[in-house]
Each structure stands twice: as C-alpha cells, then as structure tokens.
C-alpha cells in the first residue's frame, strides 16, 4: 500500500481565552496573530509553522508532575537566562530549572500548558 500525503496543519492548545493565550505566545515567539475570531486564534510563524488556540471554557491544566506531561512545546533559545526572564515577565511560571537537566527548563503558560525552553545546540 502506498502511503498518502499527510501533513501537520496546526498544533492546537485548548484554553478558556483564545486571545489572551495567543497574545502570550505571539510575544514569546515573535509571531503574528493571523486569525482571531473569539473561539479560534492562529499564530503564523516562519514558513508553514502555525500554532492555534481553541476556546475550551472548562479547560483544566494537568497536575504536573503527578499527571505526567502528556504533550508540551519545546521552544529553542540562544540565551537561556534572558529567555527565562522574558517568559516569566509575560506571565509564565517556572516549574523546574535546568539545574535538574542541563539544557532545558520547564514552565507553565498563563493557562497552565507546559512548555520547555531548550538551549539551542
């Protein structure tokens, strides 16, 4: 059997306020909000990269580490210290520093999704 062409369109994060979370990640990544209709927002990154946000009023974040991570975003940075200060200033919460695992640190976005800042190799 020949495999059909299948591509990834969006990575989608559920959240209670699509505009607020899209704005947070737009500031973190330096991407533009390409669409925002209240229940769905999309960030456009370089090339075909896109990140979407879907309204989910009953969203509850995972209780990490007891629930595990399930899925998260790895964001690559050149300057770990400056990047940590920046995302914290935007409303992220640091969960675990890179002292436990050199090269990356674990954070929660303002809604509770987990993401990592990873030092670019």
């Amino acid at each position: 059997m020949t495999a059909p062409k299948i591509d990834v369109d969006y990575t989608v994060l559920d959240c209670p306020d699509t505009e607020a979370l899209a704005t947070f990640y737009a500031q973190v990544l330096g991407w533009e909000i390409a669409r925002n209709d209240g229940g769905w927002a999309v960030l456009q990154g370089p090339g075909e990269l896109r990140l979407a946000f879907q309204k989910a009023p009953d969203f509850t974040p995972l209780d990490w580490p007891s629930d595990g991570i399930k899925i998260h975003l790895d964001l690559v940075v050149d300057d770990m210290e400056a990047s940590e200060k920046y995302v914290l200033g935007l409303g992220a919460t640091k969960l675990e520093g890179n002292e436990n695992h050199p090269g990356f640190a674990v954070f929660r976005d303002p809604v509770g999704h987990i993401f990592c800042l990873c030092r670019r190799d």
Side-chain angles (χ1 to χ4, degrees), residues 23-33 43-46 86:
T23 298
F24 171 80
Y25 280 104
Q27 292 174 320
V28 168
L29 297 168
W31 294 4
E32 296 294 321
I33 297 176
L43 295 183
Q44 180 65 53
Y86 184 69

Side-chain angles (χ1 to χ4, degrees), residues 15-42:
C15 59
D17 184 341
T18 58
E19 183 175 1
L21 197 57
T23 298
F24 171 80
Y25 280 104
Q27 292 174 320
V28 168
L29 297 168
W31 294 4
E32 296 294 321
I33 297 176
R35 179 176 168 194
N36 182 10
D37 67 14
W40 181 259
V42 177

